Amino acid sequence: MLGSYDFCGHYDWTFMWLEKHGTASTLVEYWDQAIFQDSQDHATREIIASGLQGMEKYWGHTLHDEAPGGGYSARIEGDRYLMEMKQCPSRGFLLMNGIEYSRDYCDHCIGWIGPLMKQAGYKINHAHNHCGQCYWEFVPKGAGKDDDQAGLEKWKRELMSAWEADEGVNAIDVFCNANAVQDKQG
Amino acid sequence: MSELYYKDTKPQGAPDFYFAINATFRFILRKFGQDGFIRWLREMGADYFEPINKQWRAGGLSAVADYWRAFFAAEPEADVIVNETATEVEVVVRSCPAISHLRLGKRDIVSCYCQHCYYLSQARARAAGMSMVVEGGNGSCVHTYALGDVLVQDLGSIKEAS
Protein backbone atom coordinates (compact mmCIF):
# COMPACT_ATOMS: atom_id res chain seq x y z
CA MET A 1 0.00 0.00 0.00
CA LEU A 2 1.15 3.51 -0.74
CA GLY A 3 1.15 5.28 2.58
CA SER A 4 0.74 8.84 3.77
CA TYR A 5 3.73 8.64 6.13
CA ASP A 6 6.38 8.54 3.37
CA PHE A 7 4.14 10.18 0.77
CA CYS A 8 6.76 12.80 -0.12
CA GLY A 9 9.22 10.02 -0.98
CA HIS A 10 7.03 8.17 -3.48
CA TYR A 11 5.64 11.52 -4.71
CA ASP A 12 9.20 12.57 -5.63
CA TRP A 13 9.89 9.15 -7.21
CA THR A 14 6.71 9.57 -9.29
CA PHE A 15 7.90 12.97 -10.54
CA MET A 16 11.04 11.24 -11.80
CA TRP A 17 8.97 8.46 -13.41
CA LEU A 18 6.74 10.98 -15.20
CA GLU A 19 9.80 12.93 -16.41
CA LYS A 20 11.23 9.68 -17.76
CA HIS A 21 8.13 8.15 -19.34
CA GLY A 22 6.10 11.22 -20.32
CA THR A 23 6.72 14.17 -22.60
CA ALA A 24 8.33 17.45 -21.56
CA SER A 25 5.00 18.73 -20.29
CA THR A 26 3.70 15.62 -18.49
CA LEU A 27 4.92 16.56 -15.02
CA VAL A 28 3.40 20.05 -15.28
CA GLU A 29 0.15 18.46 -16.51
CA TYR A 30 0.26 16.11 -13.51
CA TRP A 31 0.57 18.96 -11.00
CA ASP A 32 -2.23 20.83 -12.75
CA GLN A 33 -4.68 18.00 -13.46
CA ALA A 34 -4.05 15.54 -10.64
CA ILE A 35 -3.01 17.79 -7.78
CA PHE A 36 -4.68 21.17 -8.43
CA GLN A 37 -7.87 20.05 -10.19
CA ASP A 38 -8.40 16.75 -8.37
CA SER A 39 -6.54 16.19 -5.09
CA GLN A 40 -6.65 19.82 -3.91
CA ASP A 41 -10.16 20.54 -5.09
CA HIS A 42 -11.09 21.37 -1.50
CA ALA A 43 -8.42 24.11 -1.41
CA THR A 44 -9.71 25.63 -4.64
CA ARG A 45 -13.28 25.73 -3.41
CA GLU A 46 -12.23 27.26 -0.08
CA ILE A 47 -10.03 29.97 -1.61
CA ILE A 48 -12.39 30.93 -4.42
CA ALA A 49 -15.27 31.19 -1.96
CA SER A 50 -13.48 33.07 0.83
CA GLY A 51 -10.29 34.61 -0.58
CA LEU A 52 -7.68 35.36 2.08
CA GLN A 53 -9.82 33.78 4.81
CA GLY A 54 -10.08 30.68 2.65
CA MET A 55 -6.28 30.57 2.37
CA GLU A 56 -6.03 30.93 6.14
CA LYS A 57 -8.45 28.07 6.64
CA TYR A 58 -6.85 25.79 4.06
CA TRP A 59 -3.23 26.30 5.11
CA GLY A 60 -4.19 26.36 8.78
CA HIS A 61 -5.51 22.81 8.41
CA THR A 62 -2.80 21.55 6.06
CA LEU A 63 0.16 22.95 7.95
CA HIS A 64 -1.26 21.66 11.22
CA ASP A 65 -1.39 18.15 9.71
CA GLU A 66 1.91 18.25 7.82
CA ALA A 67 4.01 20.35 10.20
CA PRO A 68 2.59 19.95 13.71
CA GLY A 69 5.98 20.95 15.12
CA GLY A 70 5.82 24.37 13.45
CA GLY A 71 8.74 25.84 11.53
CA TYR A 72 6.67 28.29 9.54
CA SER A 73 4.67 31.50 9.72
CA ALA A 74 1.45 31.97 7.75
CA ARG A 75 -0.79 35.00 8.01
CA ILE A 76 -2.97 37.61 6.31
CA GLU A 77 -1.14 40.90 5.98
CA GLY A 78 -3.21 43.72 4.51
CA ASP A 79 -4.51 42.64 1.12
CA ARG A 80 -2.26 39.61 0.83
CA TYR A 81 -1.50 36.21 2.35
CA LEU A 82 2.08 35.44 3.37
CA MET A 83 3.84 32.19 4.19
CA GLU A 84 7.41 32.01 5.42
CA MET A 85 8.60 28.43 5.58
CA LYS A 86 11.74 27.80 7.59
CA GLN A 87 11.40 24.02 7.94
CA CYS A 88 9.35 22.64 5.07
CA PRO A 89 7.95 19.27 6.22
CA SER A 90 7.81 17.97 2.64
CA ARG A 91 11.28 18.90 1.37
CA GLY A 92 12.54 18.26 4.90
CA PHE A 93 11.41 14.62 4.70
CA LEU A 94 13.44 14.11 1.52
CA LEU A 95 16.53 15.82 2.94
CA MET A 96 16.30 13.87 6.19
CA ASN A 97 16.15 10.58 4.29
CA GLY A 98 18.57 11.36 1.46
CA ILE A 99 15.85 11.07 -1.21
CA GLU A 100 16.55 12.92 -4.46
CA TYR A 101 14.76 11.50 -7.48
CA SER A 102 13.28 14.37 -9.49
CA ARG A 103 14.97 17.39 -11.08
CA ASP A 104 13.39 19.98 -8.79
CA TYR A 105 11.02 18.71 -6.12
CA CYS A 106 10.20 22.22 -4.84
CA ASP A 107 8.57 23.14 -8.17
CA HIS A 108 5.60 20.91 -7.33
CA CYS A 109 4.15 23.56 -5.00
CA ILE A 110 3.82 26.32 -7.58
CA GLY A 111 2.89 23.58 -10.04
CA TRP A 112 -0.50 23.25 -8.35
CA ILE A 113 -0.80 26.48 -6.33
CA GLY A 114 -0.01 28.58 -9.43
CA PRO A 115 -3.07 27.54 -11.46
CA LEU A 116 -5.24 27.60 -8.33
CA MET A 117 -4.30 31.22 -7.59
CA LYS A 118 -4.79 32.16 -11.23
CA GLN A 119 -8.34 30.81 -11.08
CA ALA A 120 -8.92 32.57 -7.75
CA GLY A 121 -7.56 35.91 -9.06
CA TYR A 122 -4.22 36.13 -7.26
CA LYS A 123 -0.62 36.48 -8.45
CA ILE A 124 2.30 34.91 -6.63
CA ASN A 125 5.67 36.13 -5.43
CA HIS A 126 7.76 33.15 -4.35
CA ALA A 127 11.33 32.06 -3.74
CA HIS A 128 12.75 28.73 -2.56
CA ASN A 129 16.25 27.48 -1.85
CA HIS A 130 15.67 23.70 -2.17
CA CYS A 131 16.66 23.23 1.46
CA GLY A 132 13.33 23.64 3.18
CA GLN A 133 13.13 27.41 3.26
CA CYS A 134 10.77 29.39 1.05
CA TYR A 135 8.61 32.49 0.85
CA TRP A 136 5.10 32.87 -0.55
CA GLU A 137 3.04 35.99 -1.14
CA PHE A 138 -0.43 35.79 -2.71
CA VAL A 139 -1.52 39.21 -3.97
CA PRO A 140 -4.89 40.03 -5.56
CA LYS A 141 -4.49 40.76 -9.26
CA GLY A 142 -4.84 44.47 -9.85
CA ALA A 143 -3.95 45.33 -6.26
CA GLY A 144 -0.65 47.02 -5.46
CA LYS A 145 2.13 47.55 -7.92
CA ASP A 146 3.73 44.71 -9.84
CA ASP A 147 7.14 46.03 -8.84
CA ASP A 148 6.26 45.98 -5.12
CA GLN A 149 8.63 43.13 -4.25
CA ALA A 150 9.87 44.27 -0.82
CA GLY A 151 8.86 41.07 0.96
CA LEU A 152 10.29 38.86 -1.76
CA GLU A 153 13.58 40.80 -1.82
CA LYS A 154 13.91 40.51 1.96
CA TRP A 155 13.40 36.76 1.75
CA LYS A 156 15.76 36.37 -1.17
CA ARG A 157 18.44 37.94 0.99
CA GLU A 158 17.60 35.55 3.82
CA LEU A 159 17.71 32.58 1.46
CA MET A 160 21.04 33.81 0.10
CA SER A 161 22.27 34.01 3.67
CA ALA A 162 21.23 30.38 4.22
CA TRP A 163 23.01 29.49 1.00
CA GLU A 164 26.21 31.07 2.28
CA ALA A 165 25.82 29.22 5.56
CA ASP A 166 25.31 25.80 4.05
CA GLU A 167 27.30 24.45 1.14
CA GLY A 168 24.63 21.86 0.40
CA VAL A 169 22.06 24.43 -0.70
CA ASN A 170 21.25 24.66 -4.39
CA ALA A 171 20.52 27.80 -6.37
CA ILE A 172 17.55 29.93 -5.34
CA ASP A 173 14.52 29.90 -7.63
CA VAL A 174 12.44 33.07 -7.84
CA PHE A 175 8.93 33.72 -9.18
CA CYS A 176 7.49 37.28 -9.49
CA ASN A 177 3.83 37.96 -10.35
CA ALA A 178 3.68 34.31 -11.33
CA ASN A 179 0.98 31.70 -11.84
CA ALA A 180 2.93 28.78 -13.27
CA VAL A 181 6.12 26.82 -12.80
CA GLN A 182 7.17 28.08 -16.25
CA ASP A 183 7.34 31.62 -14.78
CA LYS A 184 10.52 30.72 -12.88
CA GLN A 185 13.15 33.44 -13.18
CA GLY A 186 16.05 31.28 -12.00
CA MET B 1 7.80 -2.81 17.04
CA SER B 2 10.54 -2.09 14.53
CA GLU B 3 11.20 1.40 13.24
CA LEU B 4 10.23 2.54 9.78
CA TYR B 5 13.02 2.75 7.23
CA TYR B 6 12.26 6.38 6.39
CA LYS B 7 12.28 8.84 9.29
CA ASP B 8 10.07 11.84 9.92
CA THR B 9 9.60 14.38 12.66
CA LYS B 10 5.94 13.40 13.16
CA PRO B 11 4.63 9.98 14.15
CA GLN B 12 1.94 9.69 11.47
CA GLY B 13 1.37 10.87 7.93
CA ALA B 14 -1.13 13.58 6.95
CA PRO B 15 -4.34 11.83 5.81
CA ASP B 16 -5.07 14.31 3.01
CA PHE B 17 -2.16 12.73 1.13
CA TYR B 18 -4.59 9.90 0.33
CA PHE B 19 -6.43 12.45 -1.85
CA ALA B 20 -3.22 12.97 -3.84
CA ILE B 21 -2.58 9.22 -4.12
CA ASN B 22 -6.10 8.62 -5.47
CA ALA B 23 -5.73 11.56 -7.90
CA THR B 24 -2.35 10.24 -9.04
CA PHE B 25 -3.90 6.85 -9.86
CA ARG B 26 -6.58 8.60 -11.93
CA PHE B 27 -3.99 10.69 -13.81
CA ILE B 28 -1.67 7.76 -14.58
CA LEU B 29 -4.58 5.58 -15.71
CA ARG B 30 -5.83 8.35 -18.03
CA LYS B 31 -2.39 9.22 -19.37
CA PHE B 32 -0.70 5.80 -19.56
CA GLY B 33 -3.60 3.30 -19.45
CA GLN B 34 -3.94 0.21 -17.26
CA ASP B 35 -0.63 -1.23 -18.50
CA GLY B 36 1.18 2.00 -17.64
CA PHE B 37 -0.46 2.07 -14.21
CA ILE B 38 0.78 -1.47 -13.51
CA ARG B 39 4.25 -0.66 -14.84
CA TRP B 40 4.47 2.47 -12.65
CA LEU B 41 3.57 0.43 -9.56
CA ARG B 42 5.92 -2.45 -10.36
CA GLU B 43 8.84 -0.13 -11.09
CA MET B 44 8.18 1.80 -7.90
CA GLY B 45 8.00 -1.46 -5.95
CA ALA B 46 11.37 -2.57 -7.26
CA ASP B 47 13.13 0.82 -7.17
CA TYR B 48 11.77 3.24 -4.57
CA PHE B 49 11.16 0.40 -2.09
CA GLU B 50 14.44 -1.37 -2.79
CA PRO B 51 16.00 -0.59 0.63
CA ILE B 52 13.01 -2.15 2.40
CA ASN B 53 12.89 -5.09 -0.01
CA LYS B 54 16.49 -5.80 0.98
CA GLN B 55 15.45 -5.84 4.63
CA TRP B 56 12.71 -8.33 3.76
CA ARG B 57 15.11 -10.52 1.84
CA ALA B 58 17.56 -10.53 4.75
CA GLY B 59 15.01 -10.81 7.54
CA GLY B 60 12.42 -13.08 5.92
CA LEU B 61 8.81 -13.18 7.02
CA SER B 62 9.56 -11.63 10.43
CA ALA B 63 10.90 -8.54 8.67
CA VAL B 64 7.72 -8.38 6.58
CA ALA B 65 5.54 -8.63 9.68
CA ASP B 66 7.58 -5.99 11.53
CA TYR B 67 7.41 -3.67 8.55
CA TRP B 68 3.64 -3.78 8.21
CA ARG B 69 3.12 -3.30 11.95
CA ALA B 70 5.28 -0.18 11.87
CA PHE B 71 3.77 0.97 8.57
CA PHE B 72 0.16 0.89 9.76
CA ALA B 73 1.06 2.43 13.11
CA ALA B 74 2.15 5.47 11.08
CA GLU B 75 -1.01 5.60 8.95
CA PRO B 76 -3.82 7.67 10.52
CA GLU B 77 -6.96 5.76 11.56
CA ALA B 78 -5.65 2.38 10.38
CA ASP B 79 -7.15 -0.69 12.05
CA VAL B 80 -4.85 -3.57 11.13
CA ILE B 81 -3.69 -6.84 12.70
CA VAL B 82 -0.55 -8.63 11.52
CA ASN B 83 -0.42 -12.40 12.12
CA GLU B 84 2.83 -14.30 11.66
CA THR B 85 3.30 -18.07 11.37
CA ALA B 86 6.31 -20.12 10.30
CA THR B 87 5.14 -20.13 6.69
CA GLU B 88 3.07 -16.98 6.18
CA VAL B 89 2.43 -13.42 7.22
CA GLU B 90 -1.16 -12.29 7.13
CA VAL B 91 -1.92 -8.55 7.17
CA VAL B 92 -5.57 -8.22 8.16
CA VAL B 93 -6.78 -4.74 7.25
CA ARG B 94 -9.99 -4.34 9.25
CA SER B 95 -10.32 -0.71 8.21
CA CYS B 96 -8.21 0.69 5.37
CA PRO B 97 -7.08 4.21 6.31
CA ALA B 98 -6.98 5.34 2.68
CA ILE B 99 -10.46 4.19 1.66
CA SER B 100 -11.83 5.47 4.96
CA HIS B 101 -10.36 8.97 4.48
CA LEU B 102 -11.34 9.16 0.82
CA ARG B 103 -14.92 8.39 1.81
CA LEU B 104 -14.78 10.95 4.61
CA GLY B 105 -13.60 13.51 2.06
CA LYS B 106 -16.41 12.49 -0.34
CA ARG B 107 -13.84 11.67 -3.04
CA ASP B 108 -14.52 9.81 -6.26
CA ILE B 109 -12.38 6.74 -5.55
CA VAL B 110 -10.61 5.15 -8.52
CA SER B 111 -12.34 1.79 -8.99
CA CYS B 112 -9.06 -0.17 -9.19
CA TYR B 113 -7.66 1.56 -6.08
CA CYS B 114 -7.30 -1.74 -4.20
CA GLN B 115 -5.43 -3.39 -7.07
CA HIS B 116 -2.49 -1.05 -6.43
CA CYS B 117 -1.77 -2.93 -3.21
CA TYR B 118 -1.32 -6.14 -5.17
CA TYR B 119 0.81 -4.81 -8.04
CA LEU B 120 3.03 -2.77 -5.74
CA SER B 121 3.42 -5.36 -2.99
CA GLN B 122 3.85 -8.27 -5.39
CA ALA B 123 6.81 -6.47 -7.02
CA ARG B 124 8.29 -5.87 -3.58
CA ALA B 125 7.70 -9.46 -2.47
CA ARG B 126 9.26 -10.80 -5.66
CA ALA B 127 12.37 -8.66 -5.09
CA ALA B 128 12.61 -10.21 -1.62
CA GLY B 129 12.20 -13.80 -2.85
CA MET B 130 8.56 -14.05 -1.75
CA SER B 131 5.06 -13.97 -3.19
CA MET B 132 1.93 -12.25 -1.95
CA VAL B 133 -1.79 -12.10 -2.65
CA VAL B 134 -4.64 -9.74 -1.76
CA GLU B 135 -8.17 -10.79 -0.98
CA GLY B 136 -11.06 -8.39 -0.40
CA GLY B 137 -10.79 -4.64 -0.73
CA ASN B 138 -13.05 -1.58 -0.72
CA GLY B 139 -12.24 -0.85 2.91
CA SER B 140 -11.13 -4.17 4.38
CA CYS B 141 -8.87 -6.89 3.01
CA VAL B 142 -6.22 -9.49 3.79
CA HIS B 143 -2.68 -9.49 2.37
CA THR B 144 -0.79 -12.78 2.63
CA TYR B 145 2.98 -13.19 2.17
CA ALA B 146 4.94 -16.44 1.84
CA LEU B 147 8.50 -17.39 0.96
CA GLY B 148 9.08 -18.46 -2.64
CA ASP B 149 6.72 -18.35 -5.58
CA VAL B 150 3.89 -20.27 -3.93
CA LEU B 151 1.04 -17.73 -3.81
CA VAL B 152 -0.88 -16.93 -6.99
CA GLN B 153 -3.23 -13.95 -7.21
CA ASP B 154 -6.77 -14.26 -8.50
CA LEU B 155 -7.45 -10.66 -9.59
CA GLY B 156 -11.18 -11.38 -9.33
CA SER B 157 -10.81 -11.69 -5.56
CA ILE B 158 -9.83 -8.01 -5.28
CA LYS B 159 -12.96 -5.86 -4.95
CA GLU B 160 -13.52 -2.63 -6.83
CA ALA B 161 -13.40 0.44 -4.62
CA SER B 162 -16.21 2.94 -4.38
Side-chain angles (χ1 to χ4, degrees):
Chain A
M1 176 182 160
L2 285 177
S4 64
Y5 177 83
D6 69 331
F7 171 81
C8 302
H10 52 78
Y11 195 42
D12 185 43
W13 188 92
T14 297
F15 297 169
M16 180 270 289
W17 192 89
L18 292 171
E19 285 172 331
K20 184 177 169 188
H21 295 284
T23 65
S25 63
T26 304
L27 185 55
V28 173
E29 287 170 28
Y30 167 69
W31 291 328
D32 182 349
Q33 295 171 21
I35 306 304
F36 158 50
Q37 295 180 43
D38 189 341
S39 167
Q40 303 305 91
D41 173 57
H42 55 302
T44 308
R45 279 186 277 112
E46 198 77 67
I47 291 166
I48 285 179
S50 308
L52 299 177
Q53 282 71 32
M55 294 180 204
E56 194 162 53
K57 189 173 176 188
Y58 169 72
W59 271 292
H61 163 78
T62 295
L63 291 171
H64 175 266
D65 273 8
E66 292 188 36
Y72 62 87
S73 165
R75 62 193 181 276
I76 296 172
E77 204 166 284
D79 65 350
R80 55 198 63 191
Y81 190 77
L82 302 182
M83 271 193 293
E84 296 166 326
M85 184 63 70
K86 296 199 172 175
Q87 291 173 286
C88 171
S90 185
R91 181 66 179 147
F93 180 86
L94 302 188
L95 292 169
M96 187 185 303
N97 290 292
I99 297 172
E100 196 82 58
Y101 288 109
S102 65
R103 272 189 300 114
D104 192 339
Y105 180 79
C106 296
D107 278 352
H108 84 267
C109 269
I110 199 158
W112 73 267
I113 295 171
L116 187 163
M117 289 299 167
K118 184 175 184 180
Q119 189 174 329
Y122 291 82
K123 57 193 178 185
I124 299 171
N125 295 319
H126 167 61
H128 62 245
N129 70 352
H130 307 92
C131 275
Q133 290 85 41
C134 65
Y135 174 78
W136 292 89
E137 193 176 67
F138 305 124
V139 188
K141 279 186 180 151
K145 294 178 181 173
D146 278 357
D147 59 358
D148 176 13
Q149 307 290 342
L152 183 63
E153 288 303 323
K154 175 176 168 287
W155 256 80
K156 275 162 64 181
R157 285 195 297 277
E158 291 202 17
L159 294 175
M160 288 298 289
S161 166
W163 180 75
E164 285 168 5
D166 183 346
E167 290 179 2
V169 181
N170 296 321
I172 294 167
D173 290 341
V174 178
F175 300 76
C176 293
N177 302 313
N179 278 113
V181 69
Q182 298 93 324
D183 296 333
K184 186 188 291 190
Q185 295 181 349
Chain B
M1 183 173 61
S2 74
E3 290 186 353
L4 285 163
Y5 180 81
Y6 293 117
K7 307 299 176 210
D8 200 359
T9 54
K10 54 186 180 294
Q12 288 196 319
D16 285 359
F17 285 142
Y18 297 130
F19 296 161
I21 292 169
N22 183 52
T24 299
F25 292 173
R26 192 170 2 258
F27 178 83
I28 291 184
L29 283 161
R30 189 170 61 230
K31 194 86 182 168
F32 298 93
Q34 180 78 10
D35 289 348
F37 177 66
I38 294 169
R39 184 166 61 135
W40 169 63
L41 290 166
R42 285 180 171 160
E43 290 180 12
M44 188 193 297
D47 186 20
Y48 171 72
F49 287 100
E50 188 201 12
I52 301 162
N53 300 342
K54 278 185 182 168
Q55 290 181 339
W56 289 6
R57 180 175 278 281
L61 291 173
S62 292
V64 174
D66 286 348
Y67 170 82
W68 286 116
R69 287 189 187 106
F71 175 91
F72 281 110
E75 294 301 312
E77 304 297 326
D79 180 2
V80 175
I81 295 170
V82 178
N83 300 315
E84 185 182 352
T85 69
T87 56
E88 283 186 348
V89 168
E90 202 179 57
V91 182
V92 182
V93 181
R94 299 196 294 197
S95 177
C96 172
I99 297 291
S100 171
H101 193 71
L102 289 166
R103 285 177 180 155
L104 193 66
K106 297 182 170 49
R107 295 303 169 123
D108 178 13
I109 305 174
V110 169
S111 63
C112 64
Y113 194 98
C114 300
Q115 287 189 9
H116 99 267
C117 278
Y118 167 66
Y119 290 114
L120 183 70
S121 297
Q122 186 237 24
R124 300 176 58 187
R126 180 176 291 172
M130 302 177 191
S131 51
M132 71 84 62
V133 290
V134 176
E135 188 165 355
N138 199 25
S140 60
C141 62
V142 178
H143 299 195
T144 307
Y145 289 79
L147 294 174
D149 207 13
V150 298
L151 299 174
V152 179
Q153 179 70 50
D154 169 11
L155 286 173
S157 68
I158 302 176
K159 290 182 186 171
E160 286 196 351
S162 60

